[in-house]
Amino acid sequence: MKRSALSRVEDLIRKVVEEPFTWLAGDPLDPFRLATYLVRIYEDAPAASMPPNHFTIAVSPEDYAEVADGRGAELELQVADYVALLAERRGLHISETPTVTFTVDDGELPRRAHIVAERRAEQPDVHTEVFTLDPGDAVREAILAADAFLIVQGRQHIALDRPVTRIGRRMDNDIVLDLPSISRQHAQIRWRQRYFALYDVSRHGQTAVNGMPVREHILRPGDVIALSDVMLVYGEGRDQPLADLSAAIDDELDTTMQKPYE
């Protein structure tokens, strides 16, 4: 008897739970390795099924305490961003950045995580006992307060008013640059809690800021972005610039942030 797409998705979720993600004792959880593991779920999913948009990562109480040590929400955001970037680079074209939640499982072994992938109609509510990302009103208000924009080729003014802006030659990008020198998916601009960051997703290294090739870059007002031979200028209209932006950049752009581009 032919099984329905829903049955196949349910089997997929059970398979993920039965195959835990593990990491070495003494090492911190690597968000890039975890994201690479999660991307496999999209690759293995039936073509006709709806992809998951939420991942619950269940870890032991000891590992949860380590993950929660001052950066739980940031780690969730980093893993989710890595998943979206890796999926784009592998041509999976997921329609939305997934959410990631770490939670405690008293029966879980140390350095092991069971993962449940699911499709949620709405984002989960905030609970005190789990890390949850809030992609709702607070994020939208922060983005609008930044009042960020791009000026394309010195002419077109485009507001950056969403968490993710995709730029490339394909017609399904948010900013379409229909030129042979531009990759189908060339770059992304992503909101990183307090500022926007530029990511090169072209695989060709044809992205530069202020004349320097970049793979990722925290954007400052006045930055000149070169996507191959197309020039864009990044600007902001926020009332007060971020005084601690340099420190924030040092915290965010550590060596792990370079891994999707190795």
Side-chain angles (χ1 to χ4, degrees), residues 27-39:
D27 290 344
L29 188 149
D30 186 333
F32 175 68
R33 282 194 62 240
L34 177 56
T36 303
Y37 183 93
L38 297 179
V39 169

Side-chain angles (χ1 to χ4, degrees), residues 149-151 153 160 167 187 189 198 207-211 214 217 219 222-234:
F149 58 88
L150 292 175
I151 299 174
Q153 295 288 67
L160 297 174
I167 308 172
I189 296 177
L198 172 73
T207 300
V209 176
N210 302 327
V214 298
H217 176 82
L219 291 167
D223 278 346
V224 178
I225 303 167
L227 305 181
S228 188
D229 55 356
V230 177
M231 298 296 171
L232 309 91
V233 177
Y234 174 80

Side-chain angles (χ1 to χ4, degrees), residues 20-30 33 58-67 108-114:
F21 172 81
T22 61
W23 65 101
L24 296 176
D27 290 344
L29 188 149
D30 186 333
R33 282 194 62 240
V59 298
S60 69
E62 296 84 359
D63 291 329
Y64 181 88
E66 180 179 310
V67 168
E108 188 57 84
L109 295 175
R111 296 299 188 265
R112 191 174 77 165
H114 272 104

Side-chain angles (χ1 to χ4, degrees), residues 78-89:
Q78 190 176 43
V79 172
D81 276 355
Y82 277 158
V83 170
L85 288 167
L86 287 169
E88 289 280 352
R89 292 182 66 83

Side-chain angles (χ1 to χ4, degrees), residues 88-106:
E88 289 280 352
R89 292 182 66 83
R90 297 182 184 188
L92 299 175
H93 312 311
I94 61 177
S95 60
E96 57 193 312
T97 300
T99 55
V100 175
T101 299
F102 284 91
T103 189
V104 174
D105 182 348
D106 292 333

Side-chain angles (χ1 to χ4, degrees), residues 56-190:
T56 301
I57 317 297
V59 298
S60 69
E62 296 84 359
D63 291 329
Y64 181 88
E66 180 179 310
V67 168
D69 186 19
R71 59 186 298 263
E74 293 181 11
L75 182 63
E76 289 182 337
L77 180 62
Q78 190 176 43
V79 172
D81 276 355
Y82 277 158
V83 170
L85 288 167
L86 287 169
E88 289 280 352
R89 292 182 66 83
R90 297 182 184 188
L92 299 175
H93 312 311
I94 61 177
S95 60
E96 57 193 312
T97 300
T99 55
V100 175
T101 299
F102 284 91
T103 189
V104 174
D105 182 348
D106 292 333
E108 188 57 84
L109 295 175
R111 296 299 188 265
R112 191 174 77 165
H114 272 104
I115 298 167
V116 175
E118 58 187 318
R119 182 80 191 176
R120 292 187 175 181
E122 297 180 356
Q123 298 298 338
D125 295 331
V126 175
H127 299 288
T128 56
E129 68 271 20
V130 296
F131 308 132
T132 54
L133 300 179
D134 178 13
D137 292 342
V139 170
R140 285 192 290 270
E141 289 176 5
I143 291 173
L144 292 177
D147 191 20
F149 58 88
L150 292 175
I151 299 174
V152 181
Q153 295 288 67
R155 298 186 301 272
Q156 187 177 6
H157 182 288
I158 299 176
L160 297 174
D161 55 3
R162 63 188 68 188
V164 182
T165 299
R166 296 172 175 84
I167 308 172
R169 196 174 70 244
R170 283 172 55 111
M171 296 305 295
D172 58 355
N173 286 290
D174 302 301
I175 299 177
V176 178
L177 301 175
D178 190 13
L179 296 167
S181 59
I182 300 296
S183 298
R184 288 177 295 177
Q185 298 149 25
H186 199 113
Q188 293 182 6
I189 296 177
R190 289 179 166 268

